[in-house]
């Protein structure tokens, strides 16, 4: 009998047991990542896209005055109203008040996101990232709950609480997205059995599922919110819907606390692979200097822009597309309320229709349409942008035709279908495309750059639309700007080379070894 053989067999069984446990944790992390989307997505899809714009516009209108005479209070009989700010030093259109608030919130969100993402990249552990997700989620959800308790004359408080909640969502969004490439890598490393034979396909599929799950959550929230609004006394109580969004975010994020964990911590002390798995540079305590790592890492990476040509191309195009799609939604909601006089329930129905089609777009486009026509993520994104550009183009037609071009409420429902497909497809494809071209180990920092480009662009769009609306008191003119932006993004994305981008990410990792010291 060979005792060495028995020991080798035992070691082999131990290793298989360890690998099985590692794979189980890797799968749990994917489940936890889905809960991140399921809990937080209703905030941006329901609250930011529907309820908050309506609340800001409503608070501004109730406290506003007429355009012609600032001494006359605005009533339901007046079509155009302005709100006096800072002791009536300046007056802004009631719709512009919402757009300006969005711009300010995104500016502050950008600063906080870059700072926190650097801290997350320094700490590296999944457990720490989960605490960031949950901590900022609690703060953001609490702010939303407080919004639901405001009286109609507290428009400054409304703006402040929205800024806080949107900033928290930005952090949650960046940290959550940065975990996707890490989790996919773990699945492949520990032998996840799948028909998806490569990282690109698996990333796209999981990203699409995550986007679909988020939109399903938003759909559920919208349907239940509509029931709550309908049963309210005035059948126009937007704040009760906001309250439900806050409670949803607060409660549904809790499974992340036990699902998200560090996969490799299960290695036994005797395992020969420990030295190569454990990073001796992992911090053991917080240091204030860690807060500047995100900025240092970002600036260091920007020094090597010659190696990141395609990432710059992607982010430039994404800046324009994200700005356009986000602003289309805000402009359409405000347009439907002010120009078409649609009720709150009708606007919620539009949002529900958008969510149903966003779910379809997020699932069908990357999983079936891209495969059927053998489209890369890059070319899929280009075709989605072409599809999206038809929305503002149709709005422009309203200047040329009397009964076509968003002149009737029914047209808003048709556009909701079109926009939903665009929204879902872009959410799934853009995230998976970007995850393929970022340097390993810098996921949070570069996804913060993705978020800065995504949300930061929203500083510009709403600001410009606000100026246009203030000058013309006609929000339809914004469709010219939105169509032009989408058209400009097409040649930008077309010039990107995906394989070159992947090589550049690997080269950047090599160049930056040892350059950053904490």
């Amino acid at each position: 009998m060979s005792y060495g053989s028995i020991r080798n067999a035992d070691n082999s069984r131990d290793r298989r047991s360890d690998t099985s446990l590692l794979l189980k944790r890797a799968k749990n992390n994917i489940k936890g990542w889905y809960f991140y989307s399921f809990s937080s997505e209703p905030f941006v899809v329901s609250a930011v896209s529907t309820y908050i714009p309506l609340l800001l516009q409503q608070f501004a209108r109730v406290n506003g005055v007429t355009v012609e005479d600032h001494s006359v209070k605005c009533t339901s009989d007046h079509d155009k109203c302005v709100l006096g700010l800072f002791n009536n030093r300046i007056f802004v259109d009631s719709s512009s008040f919402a757009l300006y608030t969005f711009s300010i919130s995104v500016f502050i969100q950008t600063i906080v996101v870059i700072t926190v993402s650097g801290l997350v990249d320094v700490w590296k552990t999944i457990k720490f990232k989960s605490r960031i997700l949950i901590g900022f989620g609690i703060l953001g959800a609490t702010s939303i709950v407080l919004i639901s308790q405001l009286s109609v004359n507290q428009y400054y408080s409304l703006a402040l609480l929205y800024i806080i909640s949107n900033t928290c969502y930005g952090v949650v969004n960046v940290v959550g997205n940065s975990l996707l490439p890490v989790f996919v890598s773990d699945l492949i490393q520990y032998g996840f059995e799948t028909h998806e034979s490569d990282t690109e396909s698996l990333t796209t599929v999981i990203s699409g599922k995550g986007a679909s799950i988020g939109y399903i959550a938003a759909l559920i929230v919208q349907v239940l919110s509509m029931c709550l609004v309908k049963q309210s006394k005035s059948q126009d109580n937007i704040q009760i819907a906001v309250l439900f969004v806050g409670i949803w975010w607060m409660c549904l994020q809790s499974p992340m606390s036990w699902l998200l964990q560090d996969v490799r911590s299960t290695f036994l002390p005797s395992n020969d692979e420990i030295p190569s798995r454990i990073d001796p540079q992992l911090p053991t305590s917080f240091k204030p200097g860690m807060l500047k790592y995100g900025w240092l890492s970002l600036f260091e990476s920007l020094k090597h822009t010659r190696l990141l040509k395609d990432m710059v191309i992607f982010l430039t195009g994404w800046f324009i597309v994200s700005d356009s799609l986000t602003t289309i939604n805000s402009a359409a909601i405000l347009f439907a309320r002010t120009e078409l006089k649609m009720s709150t329930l009708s606007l919620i129905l539009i949002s529900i229709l958008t969510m149903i089609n966003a779910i379809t777009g997020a699932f069908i486009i990357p999983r079936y349409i891209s495969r059927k026509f053998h489209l890369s993520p890059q070319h899929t994104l280009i075709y989605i942008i072409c599809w999206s550009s038809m929305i503002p183009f149709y709005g422009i037609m309203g200047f040329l035709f009397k009964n076509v071009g968003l002149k009737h409420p029914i047209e808003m429902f048709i556009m909701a279908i079109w926009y939903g497909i665009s929204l879902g497809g872009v959410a799934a494809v853009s995230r998976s495309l970007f995850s393929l071209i970022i340097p390993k180990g810098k996921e949070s920092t570069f996804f913060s750059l993705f978020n800065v480009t995504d949300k930061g662009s929203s500083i510009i769009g709403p600001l410009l639309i606000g100026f246009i609306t203030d000058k013309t008191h006609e929000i339809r003119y914004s469709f010219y700007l939105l169509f032009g932006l989408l058209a400009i993004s097409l040649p930008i994305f077309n010039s990107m080379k995906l394989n070159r981008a992947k090589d550049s990410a690997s080269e950047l990792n090599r160049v930056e070894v040892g350059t950053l010291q904490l």
Side-chain angles (χ1 to χ4, degrees), residues 72 226 336 384 437 448 479:
V72 177
M226 183 177 67
I384 296 173
I437 64 175
S448 74
F479 292 129

Side-chain angles (χ1 to χ4, degrees), residues 225-232 235-237 240-241 345 348:
S225 296
M226 183 177 67
C227 295
L228 292 172
V229 170
K230 191 173 183 179
Q231 291 179 4
S232 64
Q235 291 196 353
D236 199 35
N237 188 354
I240 194 171
L345 287 177
I348 294 177

Side-chain angles (χ1 to χ4, degrees), residues 229-262:
V229 170
K230 191 173 183 179
Q231 291 179 4
S232 64
K233 292 181 179 180
S234 64
Q235 291 196 353
D236 199 35
N237 188 354
I238 305 172
Q239 286 174 281
I240 194 171
V242 172
L243 173 63
F244 184 67
V245 172
I247 293 174
W248 178 280
W249 191 1
M250 182 82 71
C251 297
L252 269 295
Q253 66 176 347
S254 58
M256 291 191 295
S257 62
W258 65 79
L259 285 172
L260 297 180
Q261 52 188 312
D262 294 288

Side-chain angles (χ1 to χ4, degrees), residues 14 28 87 127 194 250 281 284 340 384 395 419 443 463 490:
D14 288 342
N28 283 340
N87 291 325
K127 196 64 180 177
T194 176
M250 182 82 71
Q281 300 299 320
T284 57
L340 301 180
I384 296 173
Y419 178 71
E443 290 86 3
L463 191 64
L490 292 173

Side-chain angles (χ1 to χ4, degrees), residues 383-434:
Y383 286 122
I384 296 173
I385 293 170
C386 292
W387 174 277
S388 304
S389 66
M390 293 298 101
I391 299 171
F393 179 77
Y394 188 74
I396 293 172
M397 291 176 65
F399 287 110
L400 305 176
F401 301 98
K402 184 177 180 180
N403 294 313
V404 177
L406 297 181
K407 294 296 183 71
H408 310 285
I410 188 64
E411 294 172 287
M412 291 297 299
F413 290 94
I414 298 172
M415 287 295 101
I417 298 174
W418 201 281
Y419 178 71
I421 294 172
S422 306
L423 194 65
V426 166
V429 176
S430 62
R431 184 166 51 191
S432 64
L433 176 59
F434 188 70

Side-chain angles (χ1 to χ4, degrees), residues 68-373:
E68 298 80 9
D69 189 347
H70 291 173
S71 64
V72 177
K73 291 289 292 182
C74 188
T75 67
S76 58
D77 296 328
H78 298 102
D79 289 334
K80 310 296 181 182
C81 302
V82 293
L83 175 66
L85 299 175
F86 312 115
N87 291 325
N88 294 329
R89 288 187 177 91
I90 59 173
F91 288 86
V92 299
D93 191 273
S94 58
S95 295
S96 297
F97 177 64
L99 296 166
Y100 292 149
T101 301
F102 293 159
S103 294
I104 295 171
S105 74
V106 172
F107 176 76
I108 296 174
Q109 181 194 82
T110 300
I111 296 173
V112 174
V113 159
I114 294 177
T115 303
V116 174
S117 66
L119 175 63
V120 169
D121 272 340
V122 170
W123 216 277
K124 297 182 184 298
T125 65
I126 293 172
K127 196 64 180 177
F128 179 77
K129 292 183 178 184
S130 72
R131 290 171 182 168
I132 293 291
L133 283 173
I134 294 172
F136 277 90
I138 291 173
L139 180 57
T142 301
S143 300
I144 290 296
V145 170
L146 291 176
I147 285 176
S148 69
Q149 306 304 308
L150 295 176
S151 60
V152 74
N153 64 326
Q154 294 178 293
Y155 50 92
Y156 285 121
S157 297
L158 171 60
L160 176 61
L161 288 171
Y162 167 70
I163 289 170
I164 293 172
S165 62
N166 197 38
T167 298
C168 290
Y169 173 78
V171 174
V172 169
N173 183 249
V174 165
V175 177
N177 283 340
S178 72
L179 289 170
L180 177 59
V182 177
F183 291 165
V184 171
S185 177
D186 286 341
L187 280 178
I188 294 175
Q189 181 176 352
Y190 299 118
F192 178 63
E193 295 182 2
T194 176
H195 296 296
E196 313 303 330
S197 57
D198 59 90
T199 302
E200 179 177 328
S201 297
L202 186 58
T203 301
T204 301
V205 169
I206 293 177
S207 177
K209 287 181 179 178
S212 296
I213 287 171
Y215 290 130
I216 288 171
L219 174 61
I220 295 171
V221 169
Q222 290 291 66
V223 171
L224 295 178
S225 296
M226 183 177 67
C227 295
L228 292 172
V229 170
K230 191 173 183 179
Q231 291 179 4
S232 64
K233 292 181 179 180
S234 64
Q235 291 196 353
D236 199 35
N237 188 354
I238 305 172
Q239 286 174 281
I240 194 171
V242 172
L243 173 63
F244 184 67
V245 172
I247 293 174
W248 178 280
W249 191 1
M250 182 82 71
C251 297
L252 269 295
Q253 66 176 347
S254 58
M256 291 191 295
S257 62
W258 65 79
L259 285 172
L260 297 180
Q261 52 188 312
D262 294 288
V263 174
R264 296 179 181 88
S265 62
T266 58
F267 277 110
L268 299 175
S270 61
N271 195 304
D272 295 335
E273 296 185 60
I274 280 183
S276 64
R277 298 289 186 182
I278 295 179
D279 187 348
Q281 300 299 320
L282 284 177
T284 57
S285 61
F286 172 77
K287 299 176 183 178
M290 294 176 180
L291 293 175
K292 63 183 179 182
Y293 178 81
W295 297 93
L296 291 174
S297 181
L298 185 59
F299 292 148
E300 190 67 31
S301 297
L302 291 176
K303 290 180 183 178
H304 303 290
T305 51
R306 65 181 179 83
L307 300 176
L308 296 171
K309 177 180 178 181
D310 293 286
M311 181 174 286
V312 172
I313 291 172
F314 174 89
L315 291 175
T316 301
W318 181 239
F319 182 94
I320 297 171
V321 169
S322 176
D323 186 22
S324 302
L325 290 180
T326 301
T327 310
I328 281 174
N329 184 83
S330 300
I333 288 294
L334 295 173
F335 178 86
R337 172 69 98 183
T338 58
E339 302 296 329
L340 301 180
K341 310 299 182 184
M342 296 182 69
S343 68
T344 299
L345 287 177
S346 295
L347 295 176
I348 294 177
L349 280 173
I350 286 176
S351 181
I352 290 173
L353 195 57
T354 299
M355 290 310 99
I356 292 173
N357 288 277
I359 294 167
T360 303
F363 185 77
I364 296 296
I365 291 176
R367 196 176 184 90
Y368 296 105
I369 295 180
S370 294
R371 289 183 181 180
K372 181 176 178 59
F373 295 100

Side-chain angles (χ1 to χ4, degrees), residues 48-84:
V48 174
S49 299
T50 306
Y51 305 139
I52 302 297
L54 294 178
L55 271 181
L56 287 166
Q57 195 269 346
Q58 176 184 314
F59 277 37
R61 189 175 180 86
V62 169
N63 293 278
V65 294
T66 63
V67 175
E68 298 80 9
D69 189 347
H70 291 173
S71 64
V72 177
K73 291 289 292 182
C74 188
T75 67
S76 58
D77 296 328
H78 298 102
D79 289 334
K80 310 296 181 182
C81 302
V82 293
L83 175 66

